[in-house]
Amino acid sequence: MDSTRVTEHPTSFDRPSTGADPTDPRGALLRTPVPPRASGSALPAQGSAGQTPPAAGEDSPGAFEHSQPGAEQAAEPDTHRPRPTSEGVPAQPDGGQPGGAPPGDTPSAGVILGEVSAGGGQAGLVRPDSGEPTGAPDPGRRDAPPEPDRRTGQPTAPGRPTPMRRDGDRLRFVGAATRRIARGMDLDEIVMGLCRATVPTFADAILVYLREPLPVGDERPTGPLVLRLRRTDRIPAERDTEGGFTPAPQPEPSELETVGAELCEVRPGSALAEVLRGVRPVFTDTPAARAALPELLGEERDFALPDGRRAILAPLRGRRRVIGAALFLRGPERIAFEADDLLVAAQLATHSALGIDKAVLYGREAYIADELQRTMLPENLPRCTGVRLASRYLPAAETARVGGDWYDAIPLPGSRVALVVGDVMGHSMTSAAIMGQLRTTAQTLAGLDLPPQEVLHHLDEQAQRLGTDRMATCLYAVYDPVAHRITVANAGHPPPVLLHLGGHAEVLRVPAGAPIGVGGVDFEAVELDAPAGATLLLYTDGLVESRLRDVWTGIEQLRERLAATAQLTGPDHPPPLEALCDEVLDMLGPGDRDDDIALLAARFDGIAPSDVSYWFLDPEDAAPGKARRLARRALARWGMEDLTDAVELLVSEVVTNAVRYASKPVTLRLLRTDVLRCEVGDDVPQLPRLRQARATDEGGRGLYLVNRLARRWGATRLSTGKVVWFELNRG
């Protein structure tokens, strides 16, 4: 996520609140009469701390914005049950009750209260006797008498805002706002939830600053405290024409990055540092907060803050430390904040900060899961001779990004390649860790050039060493492009599907075998034809099995999908490998993602017999000279005479090293593909190592020449000895 981007999201006022005058330019400021204060009132006006109650007919300086008028005196008032009010329902300027009920009606006990919507309005008041929404005022009740004030019982004068004084009203607003904040999963959703829940219901504008970078968990920040403007939200300018604070001008899209890069470094001992250290929200009319604002907003920022208690600065404190700050603003035409609004701001700041803390932790966990899965799977498939490869991996869900499915392609001596796909039970961190160990074991066993059934046997032993409940399925196949054959061994895995060049798809009949980890079982291998142009598809059971279908039904659907895809490209042209993988994944329906999916597709190109030359050489002194002559003839037949000198030199050095220690015939093979590859095999298991020969040494420079002249070279141990190979670029 990009922490440098700042966006300003005006709150929509397309639908006015219930009872609001659609022509009101403010939209959120709804006016109702303010009563003259009764001298004998039992509920005196509640002002801010240290202030005297306002005189009759004046706006209360500590009034809350979204007040609820009391129910009008009915013919028989209900003195036992107070009328419930909706969360954040604005005052009704026409004196009607919330929901448009006539003033004389007794409120129904079954009224359902809705939540505060994104624009601060109500969400669905329903009368159980009619089943119809009551959100619109009754136009026939315009002549209703003014509604009395909740505290004094006196009628209010038209056109004045009515303060919401009851603690229940604030609790309902805080409950709805915190629920909206808590719905966010990542950082942006939580910050946006805070902005949308407070503007315009609680404030006309909000600025949210977050620490840069945000600490994760128990990490202790090392650098200075730097705050970055993360998000702003305000009432649109067309609704804010009566004056008040002047927000920063809307940037053009091209200037968005510049605005988002605004930083504020909190200097130790500064006024802003003291306010943030206090943790509690404060009014900005206090000297300390007033001095902290220029440091937070910047001296050059075009802000004309309203006077009085119309701005609240609330530090955002997570579990360990302050992680940011939120600034709530109200214009002068709106009722100012009062002392109890500090409690509301504290609740909003606390829930937002804890949510941000958890979102950062969740982001770190998701990052760790992604990195773990990425390192467990091959980053890039190898480029092997005679075969093309493509793969796909899909986690079971976004919340569980790691699993036990894996695939691999391992180059083997003799231009062969091992194709592996496996599935550890579960899709969790533990499954991924076990999968990583089994994959590493399979790579090590493949390097020993063991038969497929022996590889599965050793994997079974490794799984038993990891634990008694470590179960996995695996399919291991070895493709030989020279012989056009494939050897497959299976351990409880779904069988592979082979798509022929003509469009025919078949499910290969391979022994099912027992899963890895059972122990005490024998694995079998079968050798099958792998014609050129055919495509082998290896997959895990998440592709073919779900709650909506069994595994064999899914395998049949997969076979039909492959055959149908091959028909689109014709009988002589196989479908593109990457597009084929995408088509296979498209067969998944809405309810088919119950498990991880690993997919490995191999297109068999093979190596034509005319591009292969193979000889046996007796281990004698004349073998290097014979090898040079044979290599020269093969190159002349292929029209590659320009490589003759280099090939003769390198073949002579490698064959000389082989016959020096071999007791059985030495093999020499030349392969012509996109490169020229030479392979020399013997029965000695010790691998040659490159070393720097001393000036007095008679030998030891053969591999040095190979390393300098060859494109690539290597040595691989076999079950019967070793193979030393090198490659040269074709001219």
Side-chain angles (χ1 to χ4, degrees), residues 147-188:
E147 185 178 8
D149 186 270
R150 292 184 183 276
R151 298 164 293 129
T152 63
Q154 300 296 327
T156 58
R160 303 304 300 273
T162 302
M164 181 172 63
R165 295 293 184 175
R166 296 184 306 168
D167 292 339
D169 296 330
R170 286 189 174 85
L171 290 177
R172 278 187 289 273
F173 165 72
V174 171
T178 53
R179 283 194 299 271
R180 187 184 185 103
I181 295 170
R183 281 197 294 263
M185 286 292 294
D186 58 21
L187 181 62
D188 290 333

Side-chain angles (χ1 to χ4, degrees), residues 18-19 92 94-103 105 127 134-144:
T18 302
Q92 310 300 319
D94 57 354
Q97 297 179 5
D105 291 349
R127 297 186 61 178
T134 62
D138 186 359
R141 302 298 300 177
R142 295 287 183 178
D143 56 348

Side-chain angles (χ1 to χ4, degrees), residues 213-224:
L214 279 170
V216 180
D218 296 334
E219 289 183 357
R220 186 178 298 276
T222 57

Side-chain angles (χ1 to χ4, degrees), residues 60 67 117 150 162 171 235 255 395 457 514 574 576 610 644 672 681:
S60 172
S67 59
S117 64
R150 292 184 183 276
T162 302
L171 290 177
I235 294 177
E255 302 175 4
H457 175 73
S610 59
T644 300
R672 182 184 65 167

